[in-house]
Amino acid sequence: GAGERMARMAEQGSLYPTLITIGIAGVLAVCSAYAFAGAGLIPRLPLMRTALVLISAIYLLRGLVLIPAYIVNPGGVLPFILWSSLIVLVYGVAYAVGTWVAWPTLSAR
């Protein structure tokens, strides 16, 4: 799903694809840390409620990109858009449900 342009840049030795990948991995690591902290598996992180609500919303909104994609192109959606949207939608639902269930325990201690 990176695209032909990014693949060519990587083949040519550009650092840009590597830096983008590191940035994405970093953001996902922070999201994971908040999920683990919300589940009580690691110590509490700052702004727990706010962060978990924002992470849930971002994942859900990204997952729901599938709806306008179908409206714009009713003949079919690219497989990358379809599968990435469905996967991220599942993440969003998991974060939202987890945040809802853990909400009472997420207050500042």
Side-chain angles (χ1 to χ4, degrees):
E4 187 63 32
R5 181 173 170 238
M6 288 289 262
R8 270 188 267 126
M9 289 170 54
E11 286 175 350
Q12 295 169 353
S14 172
L15 282 179
Y16 183 75
T18 302
L19 294 175
I20 291 296
T21 302
I22 290 170
I24 292 169
V27 169
L28 293 175
V30 169
C31 292
S32 298
Y34 272 95
F36 285 127
L41 299 175
I42 64 172
R44 189 180 195 296
L45 297 173
L47 301 169
M48 283 290 294
R49 285 182 166 183
T50 303
L52 287 170
V53 168
L54 286 174
I55 292 167
S56 299
I58 291 168
Y59 276 137
L60 288 169
L61 289 172
R62 169 53 185 87
L64 292 173
V65 162
L66 193 56
I67 294 170
Y70 268 117
I71 293 170
V72 170
N73 188 9
V77 174
L78 294 174
F80 175 77
I81 298 294
L82 173 67
W83 289 108
S84 63
S85 295
L86 290 174
I87 290 167
V88 172
L89 192 58
V90 169
Y91 291 167
V93 169
Y95 268 88
V97 169
T99 301
W100 178 269
V101 169
W103 191 260
T105 65
L106 296 176
S107 63
R109 293 178 210 170

